[in-house]
Amino acid sequence: MQGAMSQSPRKLPPSPRDAGSTGSNSTSSTANRRLFTQPPSPNHIKNRTPSEDTLSDSTYSAVSVTSSYRHHNFPFATQTPAKPEPVLVKDSNHKPKTTGSFGVLVIGLGGANGTTMLAGILANRRNLEWRGPYGEHRSANYYGCLTQLNQRGIHGGVGYKDRVKGLANANMAAIGGWDIRPAKPGDALLEAQILDYDLVRQVQDEMNKTKVFRGIYNPLFIGDSQHATATHVISKQEAPTDSEALKCLRADIRYFKWRNGVVGHTTVIWSASVEPNCDLLPNYETADDLLEAIEMTEEERGGPLPPSVLYATAALLEGCSFINGGSQNTVSCPGLADLAMQQTGVYCLGTDFKAGQTKFKTAAVEYLRTMGLKPRVIASSNHLGNNDMRNIGSASSNIGTAKLRVKHDIFAPWQEDELDHKVSIMFTEFINDDKRDFVEYTSLAFLGQPHTMVTYTRASDSVLCVPLMIDGAVWCDFFSSRSWPYERVAKALAYLFKVPEGSAKGVDPGFFRQMQELEVQVLAAHEAKRGSLKREGSIKKRVRIRPDEKVAEWAIPHDARIVCAGLACVDMQLNAATGGDGGEAIETFAGETSIGGGSVSMACKTLARLCHGAALDDGYMQITPPVVSAVVPLCMVGTDSTGDKLIGLLEDCGAACRNVETRFIKASRSSDPNARTALSILPIYQDGRRGCFFDAASNVTFSAREMTRLISNLSAGSTNPELDMSHMSADDVDNYQADLEQMTPIYGGFVFGYPHLMPKMAGEALAQILLEARSIMIEGGIVTIDLNGVPLGSFPVRDGLRSAGSLKLDSVIGPALEHVDILHMNQEELCLLTGCHIEGTADSSREDDFIIAQAINLFLRCGVAVVAVTRGQQGSFVVCNDADRFKQSRALPASWIDCNAKVGCVQLPKNTSINTNGAGDAFTAGLLVAAMLRHTGLTMPSDISPSVVSSPRAPPASSLTRKETIPASGKSKPDKKLTPYSLFMREHYISLKKKCNDDKKAIFSTCHEMWENLTEHERDLYERKAADENEDTGKPDAVALSVLTDINVLDSTDPKHAPSPRESDTPRSMYMTNRSLTLESAVTFASLVAAYHVDESTRNRQHIDMSKLIERATVVPKGLEEI
């Protein structure tokens, strides 16, 4: 919560700069700041007075402003921005104070709006009661907040809280922000005299604990009355340039989210004093233009940039939304919209909150127009004495122009040319925040007769504005969680603003039409249903390649998601524990380490960290392009603290790619308030032994019905309300249907783990789960089961192997086997289920292979398409079914039909510290990804810079043919560059061939081991030699090409189904498109994925470059005779 920032822990992360203790003009050392970012040499910004031609035609005084406005452009230059240093915020001792919260950062937190919002949330959180000024009883509520209110009356309407699931509870919000004044929030609220004193005294102390970050201060963009109190600011020594100020703000945002444990979306809201309009902003048409301008000096740029633009840019770069609650033209900068649209679920919205009389004004004029009257004159006058008006009254005419620009433009989209709209605003200090507004509406009625009506409004300006701030943040969190399109969100939230700008520019200004648009978009996002997918390949989505786009060679069709279902728990490891002998003495341990356990956690961790290229700039939270666009865990998560920890651990898995989607399990937690989360206590004894105490908790009662409901909710919101379309136009209905179709997620893989540990999901129940999973996936997807916990005595060994008929009757997995595409188990589980006996000695290797093949054949006869058995240090054995079975699973690679592969384990360097916990889960996830991957048709250097790799969309599996044709050897092969590894293999092949007696497997294994043992200097040498050879020859020689492009590694496809090549710098091969990995390469890939999981040095790495694994998995010894 916001009060959580009151005490600094003893051990803090690298400081984003001082969090800014409110109430004191605290100074932050530059050294602390540079732990986050290292600023260049100071280059102080020269203060510049705006030129005379930027002033608008205005008349103004200290008490009244009446104006029109115009823009003038400054020229600007371009400059490539420097890349920031990647630094992460981590502190293992930190305990976040909030869980499950969304974040709200307010610019101007110490002002009337910020302090009122903070007080209101605290009052609701604590259910406070107090006395009003006349002694009347009052209590906390969220009146005015549409997201926090239930529907009322028999016709519904009003609120959305009980109408739409997934709306955040404002009581759980983490609140923070910036201010240039040093007053503590509670003291500032008391001084402002906005709320009842009896309420203020109850929240003042807790509000004062909220730390406020020091703000950016530029005297050119604020009135003279604010200069004297602007002492809580970022100094010029800390941020001599705009680019350095931007880094400070980004550090503040990261620190806020980390310190408060924010797991939802964060929204940054401008609620500070109005700035003058900046004529430079419309010039920055792209995000690159904007970022280049920030890197420039004021002289190079042609003028200063307003602080609001820096706040907005920092928010968007940090994956937060930005809302401009002020009147200035911040959101009119196209570069901000472009920056927001480069990310999913990030929005830039404004301008100027439509809180009180303006909201009624739009409703009143809409009423007049709906009656058929012709509005001619709307004259309004309002006065109040808050700090914003004081700022306007003491500033240049530019600030008043910004305020009046918005008020005059409210009705512009209606194009009522004869409508004369006049606004007068006045500063009257005595009135304080108690705003007074008088409006006269004059229209022409029947036969041109005048129709006049008058409204008078009196209300606290902050009390009207705060609900809009809360709703804005909650709506951004809601739409972001559903990745709703930027343009749709801008139109949906247009009702919040006097003049919607950016993508919402030009929307109907009528209040009720805007509320109708909100309802359409909210329910469309909430009800997004999966359209009926035709299973015969009618959907032909392919990789979209532009000439200037760099994409990967291998990708998953349609950016399909993968669902991980089954058992999940928290594994709490007790380090260096004593005892373990069963005695009653008090034992000790040296701290605990909690990790995600169970099939769901391990599979999520493996899938989420597979990336296209190396990780991007972690320190500035750029999203690394993931191989799996979204990983969706489905498991039992209780409402206990263990459940909170499990969700946090699952989300941490996707820190690099941000692709773990936990909203479904979060929503399911409310179905059973007594549900508990599984927990494993794992003492790691000092002598190396390990113990295990497991509490399955509510997994014991977790039913197949609950699981199928979760699965169905992935594509069809059966519990969602029906949208009344009777009042919608044909275009609105079409747009609504288009939204549903566009936003429908595509699922391609399903992993179910540990059915033997889920007693309510066994037998026919398990079969129903798999059928439900297959029904939501494109072309039926790939259904995978990972076994664990097979009990002793599952099949008593009597007279040899179990029969296939007996296996079909197995009480746990028997009925489900015919629906399984990939089944994984280890050697011990194979023996327990089939009754086979494996010696496991060097002398029995051939006989063991025969026995394993016989046992695997039982599962094939029961209908499993692919059976994978892992054998620890002896590698893995994978066998595939025939063509008839593969016809039932169109997403599986056709070349795997009737194939088998025996692959040795990955050889890790000597003295590698290993942890085999979860190795089978990692192998299964890797094999599933390998089965889903398809070649995009592009051939690129293996050492392509990861920073320019974008997330690809691979060709659909539906375009593959079952009988592939491989081009003749005489035909041209795709151009590929010589890699350092291939050069190393070529140089050592002759000696290895003699040493290994022509054993190709031994040659490859030995060569790989030699390569792994090279020093970094030696590898650099081969990289330079390969680069030189590629540069000199332009094309690699035929010998190296045979190693690099052995097409037997890949499936082939009918060229007539391949996408047409497009003009691009990246070479495209017709016959490579849509190919999949061969079975041997796929198993090798899965083994490499498991090796990264087992190796302690890479086990917790948040990103794995898949292209490197593919390169290693597909370099096979075929064709080496040509060397």
Side-chain angles (χ1 to χ4, degrees):
M1 311 301 177
Q2 69 273 18
M5 299 175 65
S6 60
Q7 297 294 330
S8 298
R10 293 182 180 179
K11 185 177 180 180
L12 285 176
S15 174
R17 66 185 172 87
D18 186 1
S21 176
T22 55
S24 64
N25 190 14
S26 56
T27 58
S28 169
S29 68
T30 305
N32 277 346
R33 179 182 303 281
R34 290 183 180 178
L35 288 173
F36 245 84
T37 53
Q38 296 182 3
S41 57
N43 181 14
H44 292 274
I45 299 176
K46 181 180 179 181
N47 290 336
R48 174 191 171 111
T49 303
S51 58
E52 293 297 324
D53 64 350
T54 65
L55 300 178
S56 60
D57 299 329
S58 309
T59 59
Y60 64 99
S61 68
V63 294
S64 178
V65 183
T66 306
S67 171
S68 60
Y69 75 99
R70 68 173 186 263
H71 291 291
H72 299 278
N73 296 332
F74 287 112
F76 71 100
T78 59
Q79 179 176 324
T80 303
K83 184 177 179 181
E85 293 290 333
V87 183
L88 286 175
V89 181
K90 290 185 177 178
D91 182 359
S92 59
N93 294 327
H94 170 59
K95 303 295 183 184
K97 298 300 189 297
T98 64
T99 55
S101 63
F102 66 103
V104 184
L105 280 164
V106 180
I107 305 157
L109 182 60
N113 289 345
T115 54
T116 301
M117 182 180 70
L118 187 54
I121 290 177
L122 278 176
N124 278 277
R125 187 182 297 161
R126 294 166 52 186
N127 294 317
L128 294 181
E129 297 180 355
W130 64 94
R131 295 288 181 178
Y134 302 104
E136 69 274 23
H137 179 268
R138 292 180 177 179
S139 60
N141 60 65
Y142 277 116
Y143 292 158
C145 299
L146 300 183
T147 60
Q148 306 301 303
L149 298 177
N150 293 329
Q151 299 181 88
R152 292 205 301 262
I154 60 175
H155 299 294
V158 183
Y160 285 88
K161 182 179 179 181
D162 59 344
R163 193 179 183 190
V164 177
K165 292 186 177 180
L167 289 179
N169 184 348
N171 288 346
M172 292 298 293
I175 309 296
W178 299 265
D179 208 296
I180 62 174
R181 291 171 298 180
K184 297 179 180 180
D187 297 340
L189 179 65
L190 179 64
E191 181 182 359
Q193 301 180 22
I194 299 171
L195 301 178
D196 299 328
Y197 172 74
D198 194 26
L199 169 61
V200 175
R201 69 173 181 81
Q202 296 183 62
V203 297
Q204 181 179 4
D205 290 342
E206 188 167 353
M207 287 179 63
N208 282 340
K209 296 177 183 178
T210 304
K211 290 188 177 181
V212 184
F213 295 118
R214 286 172 290 142
I216 296 177
Y217 172 64
N218 187 333
L220 297 178
F221 289 94
I222 196 168
D224 296 340
S225 63
Q226 312 296 306
H227 293 180
T229 57
T231 60
H232 192 247
V233 299
I234 301 174
S235 68
K236 287 293 184 181
Q237 288 71 31
E238 293 175 291
T241 64
D242 285 343
S243 63
E244 291 306 308
L246 178 66
K247 293 178 182 178
C248 293
L249 296 178
R250 296 184 67 179
D252 290 343
I253 295 171
R254 271 180 278 129
Y255 179 86
F256 165 78
K257 292 195 288 188
W258 172 85
R259 188 71 181 87
N260 290 278
V262 177
V263 295
H265 188 68
T266 296
T267 301
V268 176
I269 301 176
W270 177 275
S271 184
S273 298
V274 178
E275 298 174 328
N277 287 331
C278 178
D279 299 330
L280 292 173
L281 300 186
N283 296 333
Y284 307 136
E285 297 182 355
T286 67
D288 289 340
D289 293 341
L290 176 61
L291 296 176
E292 288 173 3
I294 293 175
E295 290 292 325
M296 296 178 186
T297 64
E298 183 177 329
E299 290 76 11
E300 293 172 330
R301 187 189 305 126
L305 285 179
S308 62
V309 172
L310 299 181
Y311 283 107
T313 305
L316 300 177
L317 288 174
E318 291 301 318
C320 305
S321 293
F322 177 79
I323 292 178
N324 178 29
S327 304
Q328 67 273 5
N329 65 336
T330 308
V331 182
S332 67
C333 176
L336 287 173
D338 183 43
L339 185 59
M341 287 187 284
Q342 290 180 9
Q343 306 176 67
T344 301
V346 175
Y347 313 106
C348 184
L349 309 169
T351 291
D352 199 353
F353 284 126
K354 185 166 58 178
Q357 81 286 354
T358 307
K359 183 177 293 184
F360 184 82
K361 189 184 295 184
T362 59
V365 177
E366 185 179 16
Y367 155 75
L368 294 171
R369 297 178 79 245
T370 303
M371 286 180 59
L373 305 184
K374 186 175 180 62
R376 291 298 304 270
V377 177
I378 302 173
S380 65
S381 170
N382 61 75
H383 59 281
L384 72 164
N386 63 10
N387 192 60
D388 194 30
M389 287 300 299
R390 179 182 288 105
N391 174 58
I392 294 174
S394 67
S396 69
S397 62
N398 279 357
I399 294 182
T401 300
K403 192 76 173 177
L404 291 170
R405 173 188 76 94
V406 170
K407 292 184 176 291
H408 285 305
D409 278 6
I410 292 172
F411 304 113
W414 274 334
Q415 297 181 342
E416 294 274 5
D417 296 334
E418 297 181 350
L419 175 60
D420 188 5
H421 180 209
K422 288 292 193 297
V423 181
S424 176
I425 56 176
M426 293 171 284
F427 172 62
T428 52
E429 185 172 6
F430 178 79
I431 299 300
N432 196 16
D433 196 60
D434 194 20
K435 189 174 185 177
R436 316 293 170 86
D437 176 78
F438 178 93
V439 185
E440 181 183 87
Y441 306 83
T442 301
S443 307
L444 295 180
F446 186 59
L447 299 179
Q449 298 304 303
H451 173 283
T452 301
M453 65 181 191
V454 176
T455 62
Y456 175 71
T457 305
R458 174 180 176 180
S460 168
D461 192 58
S462 300
V463 169
L464 292 175
C465 190
V466 165
L468 302 186
M469 298 169 64
I470 293 174
D471 279 348
V474 174
W475 285 132
C476 286
D477 176 74
F478 171 78
F479 285 121
S480 179
S481 69
R482 284 148 179 81
S483 302
W484 207 240
Y486 179 89
E487 296 83 359
R488 302 293 185 192
V489 174
K491 293 178 180 178
L493 301 187
Y495 83 96
L496 295 172
F497 307 107
K498 291 185 176 72
V499 179
E501 294 188 300
S503 293
K505 189 173 184 178
V507 300
D508 192 313
F511 172 71
F512 296 104
R513 288 299 300 270
Q514 290 179 352
M515 297 305 292
Q516 180 184 7
E517 182 66 25
L518 172 68
E519 180 185 35
V520 168
Q521 295 302 331
V522 168
L523 295 185
H526 184 50
E527 296 178 1
K529 298 180 180 178
R530 184 174 182 77
S532 56
L533 294 177
K534 299 180 180 179
R535 298 184 181 276
E536 299 301 323
S538 61
I539 298 178
K540 298 293 184 182
K541 294 184 180 179
R542 293 184 179 274
V543 178
R544 301 179 65 85
I545 301 173
R546 295 194 207 57
D548 59 345
E549 189 176 48
K550 301 286 180 63
V551 299
E553 292 183 80
W554 294 90
I556 293 177
H558 312 290
D559 269 352
R561 304 178 173 200
I562 294 179
V563 179
C564 301
L567 180 72
C569 65
V570 173
D571 284 350
M572 182 181 293
Q573 297 181 358
L574 307 183
N575 304 318
T578 61
D581 54 3
E584 297 183 0
I586 296 177
E587 308 295 350
T588 63
F589 61 94
E592 59 90 12
T593 303
S594 293
I595 62 173
S599 171
V600 173
S601 301
M602 294 297 182
C604 283
K605 178 178 181 178
T606 300
L607 296 169
R609 64 181 187 155
L610 290 174
C611 307
H612 288 294
L616 298 182
D617 189 350
D618 286 335
Y620 282 87
M621 292 190 177
Q622 298 182 31
I623 301 176
T624 303
V627 173
V628 184
S629 62
V631 183
V632 183
L634 297 181
C635 54
M636 169 54 68
V637 181
T639 55
D640 50 2
S641 60
T642 306
D644 296 337
K645 180 175 290 187
L646 178 58
I647 289 177
L649 291 170
L650 289 171
E651 291 175 336
D652 287 344
C653 294
C657 300
R658 302 184 192 176
N659 57 339
V660 176
E661 192 169 313
T662 59
R663 61 188 176 96
F664 295 103
I665 55 176
K666 285 180 180 178
S668 69
R669 298 177 74 184
S670 59
S671 61
D672 182 3
N674 298 317
R676 294 189 302 114
T677 311
L679 175 65
S680 292
I681 306 296
L682 307 172
I684 312 299
Y685 296 112
Q686 294 177 351
D687 58 4
R689 292 178 298 119
R690 300 189 177 211
C692 180
F693 301 90
F694 178 61
D695 175 17
S698 294
N699 285 282
V700 176
T701 57
F702 192 17
S703 67
R705 184 176 182 180
E706 293 174 276
M707 179 61 76
T708 53
R709 186 185 301 115
L710 283 174
I711 295 171
S712 64
N713 286 342
L714 298 180
S715 59
S718 58
T719 60
N720 295 337
E722 293 296 329
L723 175 63
D724 180 12
M725 299 186 185
S726 60
H727 62 284
M728 295 170 59
S729 66
D731 290 340
D732 288 338
V733 173
D734 290 342
N735 290 335
Y736 173 70
Q737 298 294 347
D739 286 339
L740 294 182
E741 184 67 24
Q742 178 184 357
M743 299 309 299
T744 295
I746 295 178
Y747 297 93
F750 179 83
V751 184
F752 188 91
Y754 305 1
H756 288 85
L757 300 178
M758 312 287 289
K760 296 293 184 180
M761 300 185 190
E764 290 292 344
L766 179 59
Q768 290 301 315
I769 291 173
L770 302 188
L771 285 172
E772 183 68 28
R774 196 178 290 281
S775 70
I776 71 165
M777 294 190 289
I778 188 168
E779 294 191 329
I782 299 178
V783 175
T784 305
I785 284 187
D786 182 20
L787 298 182
N788 195 355
V790 177
L792 295 174
S794 295
F795 176 72
V797 180
R798 294 190 182 92
D799 299 323
L801 284 178
R802 186 178 195 173
S803 67
S806 173
L807 187 57
K808 287 183 179 180
L809 297 177
D810 185 272
S811 61
V812 178
I813 63 173
L817 290 176
E818 62 179 313
H819 307 297
V820 179
D821 296 323
I822 299 177
L823 176 65
H824 168 259
M825 69 197 83
N826 61 30
Q827 177 177 294
E828 180 182 357
E829 290 155 352
L830 178 70
C831 295
L832 291 173
L833 287 171
T834 64
C836 68
H837 178 71
I838 301 172
E839 293 291 341
T841 64
D843 296 336
S844 65
S845 175
R846 187 181 297 272
E847 182 179 352
D848 289 346
D849 289 348
F850 178 76
I851 294 173
I852 292 174
Q854 279 188 313
I856 287 176
N857 188 55
L858 295 177
F859 293 95
L860 300 180
R861 290 166 60 188
C862 291
V864 180
V866 180
V867 180
V869 178
T870 49
R871 306 181 61 199
Q873 294 185 357
Q874 293 173 298
S876 54
F877 200 166
V878 181
V879 183
C880 301
N881 218 320
D882 56 23
D884 289 337
R885 173 59 183 85
F886 269 61
K887 288 179 181 177
Q888 302 173 31
S889 303
R890 293 172 56 84
L892 286 172
S895 66
W896 290 17
I897 296 173
D898 287 326
C899 288
N900 64 80
K902 181 184 177 184
V903 176
C905 69
V906 176
Q907 298 297 322
L908 297 174
K910 294 181 179 180
N911 301 321
T912 298
S913 178
I914 65 173
N915 182 351
T916 59
N917 182 27
D921 304 285
F923 178 90
T924 305
L927 187 59
L928 173 60
V929 170
M932 297 174 69
L933 288 173
R934 297 295 183 269
H935 203 287
T936 63
L938 297 174
T939 56
M940 296 182 296
S942 61
D943 57 349
I944 183 170
S945 173
S947 62
V948 296
V949 178
S950 63
S951 180
R953 284 184 174 267
S958 58
S959 64
L960 295 177
T961 58
R962 290 297 167 191
K963 300 296 182 182
E964 298 92 342
T965 58
I966 298 178
S969 58
K971 294 186 180 181
S972 62
K973 296 183 179 181
D975 293 338
K976 295 192 73 172
K977 292 181 183 276
L978 185 65
T979 66
Y981 181 80
S982 300
L983 180 61
F984 178 83
M985 177 181 283
R986 186 179 67 181
E987 290 185 357
H988 293 82
Y989 180 74
I990 300 300
S991 60
L992 288 174
K993 187 176 182 180
K994 182 177 180 180
K995 177 180 178 181
C996 299
N997 298 321
D998 291 341
D999 186 336
K1000 296 177 182 177
K1001 289 284 188 182
I1003 293 173
F1004 177 69
S1005 298
T1006 306
C1007 182
H1008 176 70
E1009 183 176 359
M1010 293 169 59
W1011 173 260
E1012 290 294 322
N1013 290 327
L1014 290 180
T1015 65
E1016 184 176 352
H1017 174 74
E1018 291 171 327
R1019 290 195 185 190
D1020 290 341
L1021 177 62
Y1022 278 101
E1023 287 182 4
R1024 289 195 296 271
K1025 292 171 66 176
D1028 291 342
E1029 187 164 337
N1030 287 325
E1031 185 177 354
D1032 292 340
T1033 62
K1035 293 183 179 181
D1037 55 41
V1039 173
L1041 190 62
S1042 68
V1043 177
L1044 289 167
T1045 63
D1046 182 2
I1047 60 176
N1048 291 323
V1049 175
L1050 308 170
D1051 283 333
S1052 61
T1053 185
D1054 189 342
K1056 68 182 179 182
H1057 290 289
S1060 301
R1062 300 175 62 175
E1063 294 295 326
S1064 175
D1065 295 334
T1066 306
R1068 173 184 283 278
S1069 170
M1070 291 287 289
Y1071 73 85
M1072 296 285 283
T1073 305
N1074 283 341
R1075 295 168 183 262
S1076 59
L1077 293 170
T1078 62
L1079 180 63
E1080 185 174 2
S1081 296
V1083 177
T1084 304
F1085 174 85
S1087 300
L1088 290 168
V1089 171
Y1092 271 83
H1093 184 83
V1094 169
D1095 189 341
E1096 287 281 15
S1097 65
T1098 57
R1099 183 181 183 87
N1100 295 319
R1101 184 180 298 175
Q1102 292 187 332
H1103 50 80
I1104 298 176
D1105 185 353
M1106 186 195 69
S1107 62
K1108 300 298 183 184
L1109 302 186
I1110 291 287
E1111 180 182 353
R1112 293 177 60 182
T1114 56
V1115 177
V1116 299
K1118 293 185 177 181
L1120 292 178
E1121 296 87 351
E1122 302 175 19
I1123 297 182

